Each structure stands twice: as C-alpha cells, then as structure tokens.
Amino acid sequence: MKTIKMGVPTFLIIFSIVFLIASLNLPKANLGNPNAPIYFPAGLSIIMLIFSVIYFFQELKNFHKENEYIKQILSGRTPKLIGFTLLFGGIYALIFDRIGFLFSTIIYLGALLFYINGLKKWLVNIIVTISFSFISWYAFSVLLGVSLP
Amino acid sequence: MDVSSFVEGLSIALEPINIMWIIIGGFLGTVVGMLPGLGPATAVAVLIPVTFGMNPVSAIILMAAIYYGAMYGGSRSSILLNTPGDGSAIAATFDGYPMAKKGQAGQALAISAVASFIGGMIAVVGFIFLAEPLANFALKFGPAEYFLLMLLTLSAIVALSIGKMVKGFLAMMIGLALSTVGIDTQTGVYRFTMGFPHLSEGIDFLIVIIGVYAIGEVLYNFLNIDQQKKEKKKVGKVWFSKEQWKRSKWPILRSGPLGFLVGVLPGAGGSIASMIGYTTEKQISKKPEEFGEGAVEGLAAPESANNAASVGAMIPLLTMGIPGSGTTAVMLGALIMLGLRPGPLLFEQQPETAWALINSMFIGNIALVIINILLVGLLVKILDTPAKVLYPIIVLLAFIGTYTLSYSTIDFFLLLVFGIFGLMMKVLDFPIAPLVLALIVGVDMEQNFRMALLSSNGSIGIFFSSGVSITLIILTLLSLLYPLIIKLVNKKRQNSQKDQITKSS
C-alpha cells in the first residue's frame, strides 16, 4: 500500500520531468515565433513538477496513515474483478472487427456477466446477455443508423 | 429577450419528436442518476451514443433532459436507500432517509419531485432573462478575456476541492497536458504524438470522459460489490399532506433562486447549491433540532436548490462556451462533436437552437415531475436490479459509445487506460472535474493565450488592459484564496466557541 502511496507522486515527478524534456525538444515552428508551440507545455510541466513535489511531501507526511480504498482494491475478489474486466475488454477490442458486433458482444457481455454475477445465476446471465446484445444492436444499428461491423 | 426566437424555439421544443426525446432523456437520466455511484456526469457520458445520428437540436435537448433527469434521480436512492446517486443528492439523505424510515417514503419522494420541479422552473425563468444579456456581454470578449475566463473557471473548480487543492491542481495540469497532444493548430507542429498517426488530432476528450466516468466508476464500484445489501422499501402513496406542503413551500421558493445563482458561478455545482439550501433553512428555522430527524424542509430546500443549479450551470456553457462543472464539460464535449459550438455566437447565429433548449427545459421539468410521481413504482423496482448485472451493461455501453466516435477499436484500449486512470483518481481521492474541464478547455485556453500575446507583440500588458480582464484576475485570485479564507473563518469560529465554553464554565 505504501508503495502505491509514494509511487504515485514519484511517478508524477518523473512524468513532469519527462514532459518538460519532451516539450523543450518539440520541433520548431516554421511560421511565426519558432518556439510558440513549446511555451505552453513547458510552462505546464514546470508547474506540474512543483505540485508533484508538494504532493510527494504531503504523502510523506501521511506515510503511516492508511488509505482504506487502496486496502480494499487489493483485497478479496476486487483485484480479480478489475483485472478480468480489463482483460475481457482487451479481448473484445481484438475480436470486435473480426467476428462482428453481435457475436463479439454476446461473448464479451456473457463472459463479464458470468464472471461478475456468478455461475449460479446462469439463467439471468444468458437472458441479459442475449436480450441486451440484440437491443443494443437494434438501437444503434437500426434506430440510430450507426454502422456496426 | 428576442420574442420571435423564443416563439420559434418553443415551436421546435413542442415538436412531437423532441417531446419524445425529452421524456426518454428524462427517464434514462433518472434511471442512471438513481443508481448509487453514478451521477449526472456519468449519465450524460454513458448515454452520449444515444445522440449519434440525431439532429443537433434534438441531441442537445436530449442531453439536457438526461442531465436534469439525473438530478431528479439522484435523490431517489438517497431517500430510499440512504445512498446518494451523486454529490448533489447527499443533502437529500439528511432528512429524506429519516422520513422514509418513519414510513413517509411516499411523501418524501413526492416532496422531492415537486421541489425539484419548482426549483427547475424558477431557474428556467432566470435562464430566460439572463442568457441573452450574458451572451451579448461575452461577445465583447477578446482572446485575453477568454483566456482569463477559462483560468477563472479552472481555478474556481480547483479551489472548491477544499482539503485536496494540490491534487486538484495536479488533475488540472494533467488535463491541460493531455490537451496539448496532437497538431498545434496555429503552427502545424506535431506535439507528443509519439509517432502514432491516431494521436495527430489529439486525444478525443469523449474517450477520456467515458473512460474516467463510466469505466472508472464501474471499476471503483467493484470495491464493495459483494457487500451491497438489498434493502426493500415500501413506498406507499406518493403524495404529501397539507401540513407538509405548508412547511416546504417557502424553503423551496427560497432555495430555487439561491441554487440557480450558485449554478451560474463557475466551479460551483449542485453539491454546493444543495448544501447551501439545507444550511440556510436550518439556520432560519424555528425548529432546527428537527433537521436530520426527518424535517420536510430539510429535504425540500436542497432538492429545489440542486435542480435550479443544474439549469443555472447551463448558462455559462451556452452563453460563453465555458463549462462550469464536470457534467457541463461532458455536455460541451458532446455538443462540439455534434457540430454545435456553444458560446455567445450561438444566440446570434442559431437563436432557435438556444431557445429550443430553454423551452425544452420547461417541458422537461413537467415531464419529470410526472415521471417521478406516477412511475415511482417502476423506478423503485429499477433500484432492485442487481449491481452485478448493471455494471457489465454500463461497461458495454461505454465500449459501444467509444466505437461510434471514430469506428476504431484502437480506442477501446485508450478507453481501458482512462478507465484505470479514473479508478486510480477515485481511490487516491483526486477530483475528476478539474481534469475533464482542463482537457476540454485546454486547447482553446492555449490558443487564446497565444493569440492575445500575438496581438500585443508579446506584451503581457494585454491581460491587464480592460476592466473585464482586471475583474477576472481579481476573481481568480479570490477563488484561490477562498479555501484559506474558509480555514481562517472556521478557526476563528472554533476559537470563539472555545472562549464561550471557558467563560460559561
């Protein structure tokens, strides 16, 4: 937990420095002031760096104070729920164009529902998966005229 | 007020198709708004895809209906489950839930619906008189004034994250940093695209919004998904007694205008409006001890104030193109995508659109009070839908919405990244509104800043050259000092209380 607490401000400090270096290395403009595209991001990165350092010291001051939410996110079934939702999302992105909206949505929604809602509620999961996939296909593709694969 | 534009707007709002969208939007907004953890910003973000393929006027009417529908809905779960749908419905738990516990759930729901209706109506009347003069005033703004106005909006929204201002500033900086990705419109230079052609047009803020608000919220709600208890409430007859109305009418009428004015201010939103409405009534009440125990005034006042604030928040959005809150920032993003550019020119070039929206709010408020009284049984049943079924559906809607933005599944990965980002922000207690607001106004802010400097040959004197600029700078400084002032006032109050206790002992 303390790694996350201190890791976030450390990441922000590194990010600000990298953003500053990247800003200073931006290509020069051919029109008008050649440095015009640099000023705003460079200025931002400096202010961000200052606030990141303040944040770092704030967290350091509260180093031993526990964050209930971080605790919760790392406990029980929560990390798996988050992980699998993201994993299924990634798989959905990969199969969406290949097998089309309807089939990929049935697979995705079904997998997510079975994982989150449990196997015991199989009937509800199947009804919701099929009905919602068809309703969303009909609403977007037919009623709203959105072109779906 | 331009009467002919008003009449034209009214006739557009009264078209059957638009009335249908108002009812659908109001209902959908109420449903999403009442689901614990999902507020109006999420409601609008998740339902953005519904507006695709629609004509822009109907789309803006629908989105507004979703917005104030969610404001109505937020308090349903506050009253019945003691779980506010969003921040602005928190005050409704103070007396609404105790009323429900006393067996007055039906009365509480009716008072909340009627108070929301009257608050909303008061605000729409205010909107009619304030919108056009403000738009005309904004027409006089140059790039320097616009830059300063955006700065004020951002500083105000950060300043309101009292106790976590550093995090608010960091969220704002990240939003501004994200807005710099893509081709610089003034010079054509590619910035931070990392060689991805997909990023040359910048990061689509709607993907960020949907990711942070929809996916992020769902992932965050996984934290206690297994602990969520089912609590069934018997609602009974949804109406109130004469005595309850007598006690509520003045709090409703007082809090409406108050909430409207708070809504117009940049940064301040429904949460602040409802808290101000509640505390004001408690302070002036003859029976303040009843507050928190199921006092009907304690429910009526915040409900009137937060709905009025949601209408008021649309004024800076429509007249100046400046969103004052997370939800209006989401709406601005959706409107730009639909080809509408809110701002002073909207009233000049497309007055019928602006007036159609204003008039639709009248109809919307009437529709919502009917929905929330007549359909309360159905709405309460929706609260019984298990979160474990709802959340996968919301995630799916987010994916479909993202796909319809650019027809590219690469955006699904961006959506997931911003979903994790949203989750982290919630877990680490970072305010999300400054990030979203900064991302949306970031490009305009930088361009106006540079245009102002260009017009003055690089002299920063341009930012101090007009009365409006100086006023905006003073307001920005005041907004940044506001948390400090609050801290000092509280300290002084605590000290005086301590002195009184010492004296009396």
Side-chain angles (χ1 to χ4, degrees):
Chain A
M1 191 173 80
K2 278 164 189 162
T3 320
I4 296 178
K5 269 185 89 174
M6 295 317 297
V8 174
T10 311
F11 170 79
L12 285 170
I13 291 171
I14 296 168
F15 177 77
S16 310
I17 295 168
V18 172
F19 188 48
L20 178 62
I21 295 167
S23 304
L24 296 174
N25 286 315
L26 278 172
K28 302 269 191 275
N30 295 322
L31 296 163
N33 182 349
N35 291 322
I38 298 172
Y39 294 140
F40 193 75
L44 274 181
S45 51
I46 292 167
I47 303 172
M48 204 194 294
L49 182 61
I50 295 168
F51 278 106
S52 301
V53 172
I54 299 172
Y55 178 39
F56 182 88
F57 284 107
Q58 274 187 350
E59 287 297 288
L60 201 63
K61 222 168 103 183
N62 297 318
F63 188 66
H64 296 291
K65 214 170 157 185
E66 295 217 321
N67 180 330
E68 275 306 309
Y69 295 113
I70 297 179
K71 229 174 165 180
Q72 268 179 288
I73 210 172
L74 299 172
S75 64
R77 176 161 106 101
T78 312
K80 277 186 188 169
L81 278 174
I82 295 170
F84 276 100
T85 304
L86 298 173
L87 179 71
F88 292 156
I91 295 169
Y92 187 46
L94 296 173
I95 61 170
F96 193 83
D97 281 328
R98 290 192 176 96
I99 63 168
F101 173 81
L102 204 54
F103 289 114
S104 59
T105 301
I106 289 173
I107 293 170
Y108 173 64
L109 190 57
L112 206 56
L113 273 167
F114 271 101
Y115 189 71
I116 296 172
N117 203 24
L119 289 169
K120 275 185 191 167
K121 309 264 175 73
W122 62 271
L123 189 62
V124 176
N125 296 345
I126 290 173
I127 293 171
V128 172
T129 300
I130 294 176
S131 58
F132 198 79
S133 299
F134 271 99
I135 290 169
S136 55
W137 170 80
Y138 186 78
F140 286 96
S141 185
V142 181
L143 295 180
L144 297 169
V146 174
S147 163
L148 294 170
Chain B
M1 185 178 75
D2 180 358
V3 178
S4 66
S5 298
F6 178 87
V7 173
E8 201 181 336
L10 182 65
S11 67
I12 295 172
L14 284 172
E15 282 172 13
I17 184 81
N18 287 331
I19 292 181
M20 185 191 83
W21 286 125
I22 292 168
I23 294 168
I24 292 175
F27 185 76
L28 290 176
T30 307
V31 169
V32 181
M34 66 197 274
L35 301 172
L38 306 174
T42 311
V44 180
V46 169
L47 297 171
I48 279 173
V50 180
T51 62
F52 297 153
M54 289 171 60
N55 84 59
V57 182
S58 298
I60 188 175
I61 286 175
L62 174 69
M63 261 186 294
I66 294 170
Y67 180 18
Y68 48 76
M71 300 299 283
Y72 271 81
S75 52
R76 310 288 94 183
S77 47
S78 289
I79 293 166
L80 296 170
L81 305 178
N82 202 23
T83 314
D86 75 309
S88 56
I90 290 172
T93 60
F94 301 162
D95 285 284
Y97 186 65
M99 277 180 81
K101 275 211 303 196
K102 285 195 277 186
Q104 298 174 347
Q107 285 101 314
L109 289 171
I111 278 290
S112 126
V114 172
S116 299
F117 167 71
I118 298 173
M121 284 303 205
I122 291 171
V124 179
V125 173
F127 199 132
I128 288 173
F129 290 102
L130 211 63
E132 222 172 343
L134 211 62
N136 290 333
F137 175 63
L139 275 173
K140 293 174 190 140
F141 279 31
E145 285 83 5
Y146 259 112
F147 167 76
L148 291 169
L149 183 65
M150 290 173 196
L151 196 67
L152 168 65
T153 308
L154 287 178
S155 65
I157 209 153
V158 169
L160 287 170
S161 27
I162 295 169
K164 43 184 176 182
M165 260 182 86
V166 171
K167 289 178 179 177
F169 269 112
L170 278 168
M172 181 181 99
M173 291 299 156
I174 294 167
L176 288 174
L178 288 172
S179 79
T180 60
V181 176
I183 301 173
D184 172 30
T185 48
Q186 279 186 26
T187 58
V189 168
Y190 281 68
R191 298 192 295 187
F192 315 115
T193 56
M194 292 170 279
F196 292 110
H198 199 72
L199 291 177
S200 60
E201 282 177 36
I203 295 172
D204 194 324
F205 43 71
L206 285 174
I207 295 173
V208 181
I209 286 166
I210 299 174
V212 169
Y213 279 116
I215 306 275
E217 289 282 351
V218 168
L219 296 181
Y220 180 74
N221 282 313
F222 282 164
L223 260 59
N224 55 6
I225 197 165
D226 291 326
Q227 281 86 50
Q228 283 174 6
K229 282 180 200 156
K230 274 274 182 68
E231 198 178 340
K232 290 204 175 178
K233 274 270 172 300
K234 213 179 156 202
V235 173
K237 193 181 161 206
V238 184
W239 203 242
F240 40 81
S241 64
K242 266 188 188 168
E243 169 64 20
Q244 282 173 324
W245 172 243
K246 223 171 126 185
R247 285 178 65 173
S248 310
K249 66 181 178 190
W250 286 112
I252 292 172
L253 293 171
R254 273 192 293 264
S255 300
L258 203 68
F260 171 69
L261 291 174
V262 173
V264 176
L265 296 174
S271 315
I272 292 174
S274 58
M275 291 309 285
I276 291 178
Y278 184 83
T279 44
T280 308
E281 284 311 316
K282 193 176 175 182
Q283 275 166 358
I284 61 174
S285 171
K286 285 174 189 157
K287 297 171 186 167
E289 69 282 357
E290 285 183 9
F291 278 68
E293 305 291 327
V296 71
E297 308 91 309
L299 173 66
E303 285 300 277
S304 171
N306 70 20
N307 258 57
S310 70
V311 177
M314 306 259 280
I315 289 192
L317 172 73
L318 286 182
T319 59
M320 299 186 190
I322 306 286
S325 64
T327 314
T328 46
V330 177
M331 284 181 73
L332 176 64
L335 292 176
I336 292 171
M337 194 202 63
L338 287 160
L340 274 173
R341 183 77 221 192
L345 291 175
L346 185 74
F347 280 83
E348 207 169 69
Q349 292 167 351
Q350 290 171 286
E352 68 289 347
T353 305
W355 286 106
L357 171 68
I358 296 168
N359 280 298
S360 78
M361 290 181 186
F362 275 117
I363 305 163
N365 266 299
I366 296 167
L368 274 161
V369 77
I370 296 169
I371 289 171
N372 276 274
I373 288 176
L374 292 185
L375 299 183
V376 77
L378 180 69
L379 290 170
V380 170
K381 279 209 174 68
I382 290 168
L383 274 178
D384 292 339
T385 314
K388 288 174 184 174
V389 172
L390 274 171
Y391 293 145
I393 291 174
I394 291 167
V395 172
L396 178 70
L397 277 173
F399 276 111
I400 301 174
T402 303
Y403 183 75
T404 47
L405 292 175
S406 60
Y407 298 101
S408 161
T409 46
I410 295 171
D411 289 340
F412 285 12
F413 294 106
L414 268 179
L415 182 77
L416 294 173
V417 169
F418 284 108
I420 303 168
F421 195 65
L423 169 72
M424 291 302 287
M425 287 185 80
K426 294 277 280 183
V427 166
L428 297 166
D429 204 20
F430 273 79
I432 290 174
L435 169 101
V436 173
L437 211 60
L439 175 63
I440 289 177
V441 301
V443 174
D444 281 345
M445 199 173 166
E446 181 185 359
Q447 299 310 325
N448 278 302
F449 177 71
R450 281 161 59 181
M451 269 156 59
L453 284 178
L454 211 65
S455 66
S456 67
N457 288 323
S459 161
I460 58 161
I462 186 85
F463 296 109
F464 304 92
S465 60
S466 71
V468 175
S469 302
I470 292 166
T471 311
L472 289 168
I473 291 171
I474 293 170
L475 288 174
T476 305
L477 292 173
L478 281 177
S479 76
L480 291 174
L481 289 172
Y482 170 75
L484 201 72
I485 297 166
I486 291 282
K487 212 174 169 181
L488 285 174
V489 170
N490 283 343
K491 209 173 173 185
K492 209 173 169 187
R493 197 180 286 166
Q494 276 173 355
N495 285 342
S496 68
Q497 276 173 350
K498 267 185 200 166
D499 287 346
Q500 275 180 346
I501 294 166
T502 328
K503 273 179 198 169
S504 61
S505 61

